[in-house]
């Protein structure tokens, strides 16, 4: 079990250029979904409870971007010699990679935090107003079908529209951080390829 976990961590964190695992031979959609949910939950918690936001989350917005960039540039040189190191240094490099992606995700959260204003005290009232407005709109739209039947169809379609709207919002909120993480890994892969064909090739 330990070997499987280590192979997965190495494949995910080191990337296909440096890892000697079978990580790339299978899809890991579920894992990215899980990460998307976790990031979405963390972002939602920070939006809902701004007073409980840890101080480090409020660091200058350029700092996580800068740290991720520095770590991404240094990553190829650490990963190149990963398998020749002892277990303690290997764990150090894996932690280094986790911190790298952690700062990248923090930049994503910091970007979106000020753009969403969520007041838990007024949220129920706003949701109720949205529901009433949506149902009233769909009821008016189908009033030509007759008073009773049109109202029934309007209420049913309004409820369906509300459910689909919330489901779509939750879907986007979950997929967006997962796609962002994929983008970070693609950026790192580009840096790895460039480093392997230039600086690291010369060092070897």
């Amino acid at each position: 079990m330990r070997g499987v976990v280590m192979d997965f961590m190495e494949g995910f964190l080191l990337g296909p250029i440096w890892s000697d695992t079978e990580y790339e031979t299978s899809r890991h959609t579920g894992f990215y979904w899980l990460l998307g949910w976790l990031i979405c939950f963390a972002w939602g918690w920070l939006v809902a409870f701004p007073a409980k936001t840890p101080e480090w989350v409020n660091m200058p917005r350029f700092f996580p971007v800068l740290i991720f960039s520095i770590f991404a540039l240094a990553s190829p040189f650490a990963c190149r010699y990963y398998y020749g190191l002892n277990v303690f240094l290997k764990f150090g490099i894996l932690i280094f990679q986790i911190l790298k992606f952690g700062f990248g995700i923090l930049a994503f959260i910091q970007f979106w935090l000020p753009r969403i204003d969520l007041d838990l005290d007024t949220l129920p009232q706003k949701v109720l107003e949205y529901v009433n407005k949506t149902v009233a709109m769909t009821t008016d739209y189908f009033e030509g079908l007759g008073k009773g039947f049109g109202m029934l169809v309007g209420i049913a379609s309004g409820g369906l529209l509300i459910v689909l709207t919330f489901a779509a919002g939750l879907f986007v909120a979950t997929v967006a951080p997962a796609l962002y993480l994929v983008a970070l890994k693609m950026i790192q892969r580009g840096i790895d390829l460039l480093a392997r064909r230039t600086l690291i090739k010369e060092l070897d």
Side-chain angles (χ1 to χ4, degrees):
M1 180 66 179
R2 179 180 176 277
V4 174
V5 173
M6 283 298 295
D7 283 351
F8 182 86
M9 290 181 62
E10 290 170 355
F12 177 77
L13 295 172
L14 303 182
I17 296 175
W18 311 113
S19 62
D20 184 18
T21 69
E22 297 182 357
Y23 176 86
E24 294 294 327
T25 62
S26 58
R27 301 177 64 181
H28 303 281
T29 306
F31 180 68
Y32 281 96
W33 269 107
L34 175 61
L35 290 179
W37 275 105
L38 292 176
I39 297 170
C40 179
F41 175 80
W43 172 83
W45 190 87
L46 293 173
V47 170
F49 306 102
K52 298 181 180 180
T53 302
E55 287 298 324
W56 55 267
V57 174
N58 295 320
M59 67 177 65
R61 288 178 56 183
F62 74 89
F63 192 73
V65 178
L66 177 62
I67 295 299
F68 172 80
S69 301
I70 294 174
F71 280 22
L73 292 173
S75 181
F77 301 95
C79 295
R80 167 63 181 82
Y81 303 102
Y82 174 84
Y83 288 102
L85 302 174
N86 62 51
V87 64
F88 297 105
L89 292 177
K90 284 183 177 180
F91 274 111
I93 291 176
L94 294 179
I95 293 172
F96 169 84
Q97 298 294 336
I98 292 173
L99 289 174
K100 177 188 68 181
F101 288 117
F103 277 108
I105 292 170
L106 178 58
F108 177 84
I109 292 175
Q110 285 187 329
F111 177 82
W112 286 108
L113 269 181
R115 288 166 170 76
I116 303 294
D117 184 18
L118 182 63
D119 187 350
L120 292 182
D121 294 330
T122 61
L123 181 61
Q125 181 62 31
K126 290 181 178 179
V127 171
L128 183 60
E129 290 176 356
Y130 169 75
V131 170
N132 290 334
K133 182 179 179 181
T134 303
V135 172
M137 178 187 68
T138 54
T139 302
D140 291 341
Y141 182 81
F142 289 104
E143 64 180 356
L145 298 177
K147 186 175 181 180
F149 185 67
M151 179 176 293
L152 181 62
V153 174
I155 292 174
S157 58
L160 180 60
L161 179 60
I162 291 168
V163 171
L164 290 177
T165 299
F166 280 103
L170 187 59
F171 177 78
V172 171
T174 306
V175 170
L179 292 178
Y180 173 78
L181 183 57
V182 171
L184 292 182
K185 289 177 66 65
M186 294 301 295
I187 292 172
Q188 183 64 70
R189 184 175 299 190
I191 294 173
D192 291 345
L193 282 171
L194 181 62
R196 190 179 69 171
R197 294 176 180 178
T198 55
L199 295 176
I200 292 179
K201 183 177 180 180
E202 294 180 0
L203 291 175
D204 291 343

